[in-house]
Structures are given as structure tokens and as C-alpha cells.
Coordinates of all heavy atoms in Angstrom, one line a residue:
M1 N -4.2 -5.4 24.9 CA -4.3 -5.5 23.4 C -5.2 -6.7 23.1 O -5.2 -7.7 23.7 CB -2.9 -5.7 22.8 CG -3.0 -5.8 21.3 SD -1.3 -5.9 20.6 CE -1.8 -5.9 18.8
E2 N -6.0 -6.5 22.0 CA -6.9 -7.5 21.6 C -6.1 -8.7 21.0 O -5.0 -8.5 20.4 CB -7.7 -6.9 20.4 CG -8.4 -7.8 19.4 CD -9.0 -7.2 18.3 OE1 -9.0 -5.9 18.2 OE2 -9.5 -7.8 17.4
T3 N -6.6 -9.9 21.2 CA -6.0 -11.2 20.7 C -6.3 -11.3 19.2 O -7.4 -11.2 18.8 CB -6.5 -12.4 21.5 OG1 -6.2 -12.2 22.9 CG2 -5.8 -13.6 21.0
I4 N -5.2 -11.5 18.4 CA -5.3 -11.6 16.9 C -4.9 -13.1 16.6 O -3.8 -13.5 17.0 CB -4.5 -10.6 16.2 CG1 -4.7 -9.3 16.6 CG2 -4.6 -10.9 14.7 CD1 -6.1 -8.7 16.1
K5 N -5.8 -13.8 15.9 CA -5.4 -15.1 15.4 C -4.7 -15.0 14.1 O -5.0 -14.1 13.3 CB -6.6 -16.0 15.3 CG -7.3 -16.1 16.7 CD -8.1 -17.5 16.7 CE -8.7 -17.7 18.1 NZ -7.8 -18.5 18.9
F6 N -3.9 -16.0 13.7 CA -3.1 -15.9 12.5 C -4.1 -15.9 11.3 O -3.8 -15.4 10.4 CB -2.2 -17.1 12.4 CG -0.9 -16.9 13.2 CD1 -0.7 -17.5 14.5 CD2 0.1 -16.0 12.8 CE1 0.5 -17.3 15.2 CE2 1.2 -15.8 13.5 CZ 1.4 -16.5 14.8
E7 N -5.2 -16.6 11.4 CA -6.3 -16.6 10.4 C -6.7 -15.2 10.0 O -7.2 -15.0 8.9 CB -7.5 -17.4 10.7 CG -7.2 -18.9 11.0 CD -6.9 -19.1 12.5 OE1 -7.5 -18.5 13.3 OE2 -6.2 -20.0 12.8
Q8 N -6.6 -14.2 10.9 CA -7.0 -12.9 10.6 C -6.0 -12.0 9.9 O -6.3 -10.9 9.6 CB -7.3 -12.2 11.9 CG -8.5 -12.8 12.7 CD -8.7 -12.2 14.1 OE1 -8.1 -12.7 15.1 NE2 -9.4 -11.1 14.1
L9 N -4.8 -12.5 9.7 CA -3.7 -11.8 9.1 C -3.5 -12.0 7.6 O -2.5 -11.6 7.1 CB -2.4 -12.2 9.9 CG -2.4 -11.8 11.3 CD1 -1.1 -12.3 12.0 CD2 -2.6 -10.3 11.6
E10 N -4.4 -12.5 6.9 CA -4.4 -12.7 5.5 C -3.1 -13.4 5.0 O -2.4 -13.1 4.1 CB -4.4 -11.3 4.8 CG -5.7 -10.7 5.0 CD -5.9 -9.3 4.3 OE1 -5.3 -9.2 3.2 OE2 -6.7 -8.5 4.8
I11 N -2.8 -14.5 5.7 CA -1.6 -15.4 5.4 C -2.1 -16.5 4.5 O -3.3 -17.0 4.7 CB -1.0 -15.9 6.7 CG1 -0.5 -14.8 7.6 CG2 0.1 -17.0 6.4 CD1 -0.1 -15.2 9.0
Q12 N -1.3 -16.8 3.5 CA -1.7 -17.9 2.6 C -2.0 -19.3 3.3 O -1.4 -19.5 4.4 CB -0.6 -18.2 1.6 CG -0.3 -17.1 0.7 CD 0.9 -17.3 -0.3 OE1 1.7 -18.2 -0.1 NE2 1.1 -16.3 -1.1
Q13 N -2.9 -20.0 2.8 CA -3.4 -21.2 3.4 C -2.3 -22.2 3.7 O -2.3 -22.8 4.8 CB -4.5 -21.9 2.6 CG -5.8 -21.2 2.7 CD -6.3 -21.1 4.1 OE1 -6.4 -20.1 4.7 NE2 -6.8 -22.3 4.6
E14 N -1.3 -22.4 2.8 CA -0.2 -23.3 3.0 C 0.6 -22.8 4.2 O 1.1 -23.7 5.0 CB 0.6 -23.4 1.8 CG -0.1 -23.9 0.5 CD -0.8 -22.8 -0.3 OE1 -0.8 -21.6 0.1 OE2 -1.3 -23.1 -1.4
I15 N 0.9 -21.6 4.3 CA 1.7 -21.1 5.4 C 0.9 -21.2 6.7 O 1.5 -21.6 7.7 CB 2.2 -19.7 5.1 CG1 3.1 -19.7 3.8 CG2 3.0 -19.1 6.3 CD1 3.5 -18.3 3.3
L16 N -0.3 -20.8 6.6 CA -1.2 -20.9 7.8 C -1.3 -22.3 8.3 O -1.3 -22.5 9.5 CB -2.6 -20.3 7.4 CG -3.6 -20.2 8.6 CD1 -3.0 -19.3 9.7 CD2 -4.9 -19.6 8.0
K17 N -1.4 -23.2 7.5 CA -1.4 -24.7 7.9 C -0.1 -25.0 8.6 O -0.2 -25.7 9.6 CB -1.7 -25.6 6.7 CG -1.8 -27.0 7.1 CD -2.1 -27.9 5.9 CE -2.2 -29.4 6.2 NZ -1.5 -29.9 7.4
A18 N 1.0 -24.6 8.1 CA 2.3 -24.9 8.7 C 2.3 -24.3 10.1 O 2.8 -24.9 11.1 CB 3.4 -24.4 7.9
I19 N 1.9 -23.1 10.2 CA 1.8 -22.3 11.6 C 1.0 -23.1 12.5 O 1.4 -23.3 13.6 CB 1.4 -20.9 11.3 CG1 2.4 -20.1 10.5 CG2 1.1 -20.2 12.8 CD1 1.9 -18.7 10.0
T20 N -0.2 -23.5 12.1 CA -1.1 -24.2 13.0 C -0.7 -25.6 13.3 O -0.8 -26.1 14.4 CB -2.6 -24.2 12.5 OG1 -2.6 -24.8 11.2 CG2 -3.2 -22.8 12.4
D21 N 0.0 -26.3 12.3 CA 0.5 -27.6 12.6 C 1.6 -27.5 13.6 O 1.9 -28.5 14.3 CB 1.1 -28.2 11.2 CG 0.0 -28.7 10.3 OD1 -1.1 -28.8 10.7 OD2 0.4 -29.1 9.2
M22 N 2.3 -26.4 13.7 CA 3.4 -26.2 14.8 C 2.7 -25.9 16.1 O 3.5 -25.8 17.1 CB 4.4 -25.2 14.3 CG 5.3 -25.7 13.2 SD 6.6 -24.6 12.8 CE 5.7 -23.1 12.2
G23 N 1.4 -25.7 16.1 CA 0.7 -25.4 17.4 C 0.5 -24.0 17.7 O 0.1 -23.7 18.8
F24 N 0.8 -23.1 16.9 CA 0.6 -21.7 17.1 C -0.8 -21.3 16.6 O -1.3 -21.7 15.5 CB 1.6 -20.8 16.3 CG 3.0 -21.1 16.8 CD1 3.9 -21.8 16.0 CD2 3.4 -20.6 18.0 CE1 5.2 -22.1 16.5 CE2 4.7 -20.8 18.5 CZ 5.6 -21.6 17.7
E25 N -1.6 -20.5 17.4 CA -2.9 -20.1 17.1 C -3.1 -18.6 17.1 O -3.6 -18.0 16.2 CB -3.9 -20.8 18.1 CG -4.0 -22.2 18.0 CD -4.9 -22.8 19.0 OE1 -5.6 -22.0 19.8 OE2 -5.0 -24.0 19.1
E26 N -2.5 -17.9 18.1 CA -2.6 -16.5 18.3 C -1.3 -15.8 18.0 O -0.2 -16.3 18.4 CB -3.0 -16.2 19.7 CG -4.4 -16.7 20.1 CD -4.8 -16.5 21.5 OE1 -3.9 -16.1 22.3 OE2 -5.9 -16.8 21.8
A27 N -1.3 -14.7 17.2 CA -0.1 -13.9 17.0 C 0.3 -13.2 18.2 O -0.7 -12.7 19.0 CB -0.4 -13.0 15.9
T28 N 1.5 -12.9 18.4 CA 2.0 -12.1 19.6 C 1.8 -10.7 19.1 O 1.6 -10.4 17.9 CB 3.5 -12.4 19.8 OG1 4.3 -11.9 18.6 CG2 3.8 -13.8 20.2
P29 N 1.9 -9.7 20.0 CA 1.7 -8.3 19.6 C 2.6 -7.8 18.5 O 2.2 -7.2 17.6 CB 1.9 -7.6 20.9 CG 1.5 -8.5 22.0 CD 2.0 -9.8 21.5
I30 N 3.9 -8.2 18.5 CA 4.7 -7.8 17.4 C 4.4 -8.4 16.1 O 4.4 -7.7 15.1 CB 6.3 -8.0 17.8 CG1 7.2 -7.4 16.8 CG2 6.5 -9.5 17.9 CD1 7.4 -6.0 16.9
Q31 N 3.9 -9.6 16.1 CA 3.4 -10.3 14.9 C 2.1 -9.6 14.4 O 2.0 -9.4 13.2 CB 3.3 -11.8 15.1 CG 4.5 -12.5 15.5 CD 4.3 -13.9 16.0 OE1 3.2 -14.2 16.5 NE2 5.3 -14.7 15.9
A32 N 1.2 -9.5 15.3 CA -0.1 -8.9 14.9 C 0.1 -7.5 14.3 O -0.7 -7.1 13.4 CB -1.0 -8.8 16.1
K33 N 1.0 -6.7 14.8 CA 1.2 -5.3 14.3 C 2.2 -5.3 13.0 O 1.9 -4.4 12.2 CB 1.9 -4.4 15.4 CG 1.0 -4.1 16.5 CD 1.7 -3.3 17.5 CE 0.8 -3.0 18.7 NZ 1.4 -2.1 19.7
S34 N 3.1 -6.2 12.9 CA 4.0 -6.1 11.8 C 3.7 -6.9 10.5 O 3.9 -6.4 9.4 CB 5.5 -6.5 12.2 OG 5.5 -7.9 12.7
I35 N 3.1 -8.1 10.7 CA 2.9 -8.9 9.5 C 1.9 -8.2 8.5 O 2.3 -8.2 7.3 CB 2.3 -10.3 10.0 CG1 3.3 -11.1 10.6 CG2 1.7 -11.1 8.7 CD1 2.9 -12.4 11.2
P36 N 0.8 -7.6 9.0 CA 0.0 -6.9 7.9 C 0.7 -5.8 7.2 O 0.6 -5.6 6.0 CB -1.2 -6.3 8.7 CG -1.2 -7.2 9.9 CD 0.1 -7.6 10.2
V37 N 1.6 -5.0 7.9 CA 2.3 -3.9 7.3 C 3.3 -4.5 6.3 O 3.5 -3.9 5.2 CB 3.0 -3.0 8.3 CG1 3.8 -2.0 7.7 CG2 1.9 -2.5 9.3
I38 N 4.1 -5.5 6.7 CA 5.1 -6.1 5.8 C 4.3 -6.7 4.5 O 4.9 -6.5 3.4 CB 5.9 -7.1 6.5 CG1 6.7 -6.4 7.6 CG2 6.9 -7.8 5.6 CD1 7.4 -7.4 8.5
L39 N 3.2 -7.3 4.7 CA 2.5 -7.9 3.6 C 2.0 -6.8 2.6 O 1.8 -7.1 1.4 CB 1.4 -8.8 4.0 CG 1.7 -10.1 4.7 CD1 0.4 -10.8 5.3 CD2 2.4 -11.0 3.7
E40 N 1.9 -5.6 3.0 CA 1.5 -4.5 2.2 C 2.7 -4.0 1.4 O 2.6 -3.2 0.5 CB 1.0 -3.3 3.0 CG -0.3 -3.5 3.6 CD -0.8 -2.3 4.4 OE1 -0.1 -1.3 4.4 OE2 -1.9 -2.5 5.1
G41 N 3.9 -4.5 1.7 CA 5.1 -4.1 1.0 C 5.9 -3.0 1.6 O 6.8 -2.4 1.0
K42 N 5.5 -2.6 2.8 CA 6.1 -1.5 3.5 C 7.3 -2.0 4.4 O 7.3 -3.2 4.8 CB 5.1 -0.7 4.4 CG 4.0 -0.1 3.6 CD 3.0 0.5 4.5 CE 1.9 1.1 3.6 NZ 0.8 1.7 4.5
D43 N 8.3 -1.1 4.6 CA 9.4 -1.4 5.5 C 8.9 -1.0 6.8 O 8.2 -0.1 7.1 CB 10.7 -0.6 5.1 CG 11.2 -1.1 3.8 OD1 11.0 -2.2 3.4 OD2 11.9 -0.2 3.1
I44 N 9.5 -1.8 7.9 CA 9.2 -1.5 9.2 C 10.4 -1.6 10.1 O 11.4 -2.2 9.7 CB 8.1 -2.3 9.9 CG1 8.5 -3.8 10.0 CG2 6.8 -2.3 9.1 CD1 7.8 -4.6 10.9
V45 N 10.4 -1.0 11.2 CA 11.4 -1.2 12.4 C 10.5 -1.6 13.5 O 9.6 -0.9 13.9 CB 12.2 0.1 12.6 CG1 13.1 -0.2 13.9 CG2 13.0 0.5 11.4
G46 N 10.9 -2.8 14.1 CA 10.1 -3.2 15.3 C 11.1 -3.6 16.4 O 12.3 -4.0 16.2
Q47 N 10.6 -3.4 17.6 CA 11.4 -3.7 18.8 C 10.5 -4.5 19.8 O 9.4 -4.1 20.1 CB 11.9 -2.5 19.4 CG 12.8 -2.7 20.7 CD 13.3 -1.4 21.2 OE1 13.2 -0.3 20.6 NE2 14.0 -1.5 22.3
A48 N 11.0 -5.7 20.2 CA 10.3 -6.4 21.2 C 11.3 -7.3 22.0 O 12.4 -7.6 21.4 CB 9.2 -7.3 20.6
Q49 N 10.9 -7.8 23.1 CA 11.8 -8.7 23.9 C 12.1 -10.0 23.2 O 11.4 -10.4 22.3 CB 11.2 -8.9 25.2 CG 11.1 -7.8 26.1 CD 10.6 -8.2 27.5 OE1 9.6 -8.8 27.7 NE2 11.5 -7.9 28.6
T50 N 13.2 -10.6 23.6 CA 13.5 -11.9 23.1 C 12.5 -12.9 23.4 O 11.8 -12.9 24.5 CB 14.9 -12.4 23.8 OG1 15.9 -11.4 23.5 CG2 15.3 -13.8 23.3
G51 N 12.1 -13.7 22.4 CA 11.2 -14.8 22.5 C 9.8 -14.3 22.2 O 8.8 -15.1 22.5
T52 N 9.6 -13.1 21.6 CA 8.3 -12.7 21.4 C 7.8 -13.0 19.9 O 6.7 -12.6 19.5 CB 8.1 -11.2 21.7 OG1 9.1 -10.5 20.9 CG2 8.3 -11.0 23.1
G53 N 8.7 -13.6 19.1 CA 8.2 -13.9 17.7 C 8.6 -12.9 16.7 O 8.1 -12.9 15.6
K54 N 9.7 -12.2 16.9 CA 10.1 -11.2 16.0 C 10.6 -11.9 14.7 O 10.3 -11.4 13.5 CB 11.3 -10.4 16.5 CG 10.9 -9.5 17.6 CD 12.1 -8.6 18.1 CE 13.2 -9.4 18.6 NZ 12.9 -10.1 19.8
T55 N 11.2 -13.1 14.7 CA 11.7 -13.8 13.5 C 10.5 -14.1 12.6 O 10.5 -13.9 11.4 CB 12.5 -14.9 13.9 OG1 13.7 -14.6 14.7 CG2 13.1 -15.6 12.6
A56 N 9.4 -14.7 13.3 CA 8.3 -15.0 12.5 C 7.6 -13.8 11.9 O 7.0 -13.8 10.9 CB 7.3 -15.8 13.3
S57 N 7.8 -12.7 12.6 CA 7.1 -11.4 12.2 C 7.6 -11.0 10.8 O 6.8 -10.4 10.0 CB 7.4 -10.2 13.1 OG 6.9 -10.5 14.4
F58 N 8.8 -11.2 10.4 CA 9.3 -10.9 9.1 C 9.5 -12.2 8.2 O 9.4 -12.1 7.0 CB 10.6 -10.2 9.1 CG 11.8 -10.8 9.6 CD1 12.6 -11.6 8.8 CD2 12.3 -10.6 11.0 CE1 13.8 -12.3 9.3 CE2 13.4 -11.2 11.5 CZ 14.1 -12.0 10.6
G59 N 9.6 -13.3 8.9 CA 9.8 -14.6 8.1 C 8.6 -15.1 7.4 O 8.6 -15.5 6.3
I60 N 7.3 -14.9 8.0 CA 6.1 -15.3 7.4 C 5.8 -14.5 6.2 O 5.6 -15.0 5.1 CB 5.0 -15.2 8.4 CG1 5.1 -16.3 9.5 CG2 3.6 -15.3 7.8 CD1 4.2 -16.2 10.7
P61 N 6.0 -13.2 6.2 CA 5.8 -12.4 5.0 C 6.8 -12.7 3.9 O 6.5 -12.7 2.7 CB 5.9 -10.9 5.4 CG 5.5 -11.0 6.9 CD 6.0 -12.2 7.3
I62 N 8.0 -12.9 4.3 CA 9.1 -13.4 3.3 C 8.6 -14.6 2.6 O 8.6 -14.7 1.3 CB 10.4 -13.5 3.9 CG1 11.0 -12.2 4.3 CG2 11.4 -14.2 3.0 CD1 12.3 -12.2 5.2
L63 N 8.2 -15.6 3.3 CA 7.8 -16.9 2.7 C 6.6 -16.6 1.8 O 6.5 -17.2 0.8 CB 7.4 -17.9 3.8 CG 8.5 -18.4 4.6 CD1 8.0 -19.3 5.8 CD2 9.5 -19.3 3.7
Q64 N 5.7 -15.8 2.2 CA 4.5 -15.6 1.4 C 4.8 -14.9 0.1 O 4.1 -15.0 -0.9 CB 3.4 -14.8 2.2 CG 2.2 -14.5 1.5 CD 1.0 -14.3 2.3 OE1 0.8 -15.1 3.4 NE2 0.2 -13.4 2.1
N65 N 5.9 -14.1 0.1 CA 6.3 -13.3 -1.2 C 7.2 -14.1 -2.1 O 7.5 -13.7 -3.1 CB 6.9 -12.0 -0.7 CG 5.9 -11.0 -0.3 OD1 4.7 -11.0 -0.9 ND2 6.1 -10.3 0.8
V66 N 7.6 -15.4 -1.6 CA 8.5 -16.1 -2.4 C 7.7 -16.8 -3.5 O 6.7 -17.4 -3.2 CB 9.3 -17.2 -1.6 CG1 10.0 -18.2 -2.5 CG2 10.3 -16.5 -0.6
N67 N 8.2 -16.7 -4.7 CA 7.5 -17.4 -5.9 C 8.4 -18.7 -6.1 O 9.4 -18.7 -6.6 CB 7.6 -16.6 -7.1 CG 6.9 -17.3 -8.3 OD1 6.6 -18.4 -8.2 ND2 6.8 -16.5 -9.4
P68 N 7.8 -19.8 -5.8 CA 8.5 -21.1 -5.8 C 8.8 -21.5 -7.3 O 9.7 -22.3 -7.5 CB 7.6 -22.2 -5.2 CG 6.2 -21.5 -5.2 CD 6.4 -20.1 -5.2
K69 N 8.1 -21.0 -8.2 CA 8.4 -21.3 -9.7 C 9.5 -20.4 -10.2 O 9.9 -20.7 -11.3 CB 7.0 -21.0 -10.4 CG 6.0 -22.0 -10.1 CD 4.7 -21.7 -10.8 CE 3.6 -22.8 -10.3 NZ 2.4 -22.5 -10.9
S70 N 9.9 -19.4 -9.5 CA 10.9 -18.5 -10.0 C 12.3 -19.0 -9.5 O 12.5 -19.3 -8.4 CB 10.7 -17.0 -9.5 OG 11.8 -16.2 -9.8
K71 N 13.2 -19.0 -10.4 CA 14.6 -19.4 -10.0 C 15.4 -18.1 -9.7 O 16.4 -18.0 -9.3 CB 15.3 -20.2 -11.1 CG 14.5 -21.5 -11.4 CD 15.3 -22.3 -12.4 CE 14.6 -23.6 -12.6 NZ 15.4 -24.5 -13.4

């Protein structure tokens, strides 16, 4: 599979900075396939081994969709 960098996934700059500050540069296969789909507002079911980044796969789009001005 082709290597996908987080910059290629249309992630907001603030979130992208946090990801890179933590030392992550390349998305795992589950992240590369799921993040764009979730950002489109679609539901997904994904399966991958433990430690492959599944939590970030749905956590990053959730953070991106949070409106900090909304209570």
C-alpha cells in the first residue's frame, strides 16, 4: 500500500500540528482509509490489529467536527 502522510488527509492545521508535534508523520493503513471517509460524514466499520491507530482513525475526525464555540 502507498504511504499516506497526514498532510494529505485534509486535516485542519491545528489538529495536524498536534499530530506532528507528537511525532506522527505517516498514517497507518486503517487511518489512511478511514479518516477521509469519516470526514465526508459517512459511517464506517473498520477492523485492524491492536496498535494500528484505530482510535485516531475516528478520534481525529471527531475533533475536526467539534465546534469549540458551541456549548
Side-chain angles (χ1 to χ4, degrees):
M1 180 177 181
E2 157 188 359
T3 302
I4 303 290
K5 297 206 176 272
F6 283 104
E7 297 92 33
Q8 297 172 268
L9 297 178
E10 298 183 24
I11 298 170
Q12 292 173 353
Q13 284 302 107
E14 298 88 352
I15 298 170
L16 186 58
K17 182 179 180 333
I19 292 168
T20 55
D21 285 352
M22 290 188 293
F24 297 103
E25 296 176 4
E26 298 175 354
T28 64
I30 188 74
Q31 293 165 341
K33 290 180 180 179
S34 63
I35 291 173
V37 175
I38 298 170
L39 287 175
E40 290 177 7
K42 297 179 181 174
D43 294 334
I44 67 162
V45 174
Q47 182 177 352
Q49 287 188 305
T50 300
T52 57
K54 291 182 301 294
T55 302
S57 294
F58 65 84
I60 291 169
I62 288 172
L63 289 173
Q64 185 151 315
N65 286 317
V66 168
N67 180 352
K69 296 177 183 175
S70 174
K71 292 185 179 189

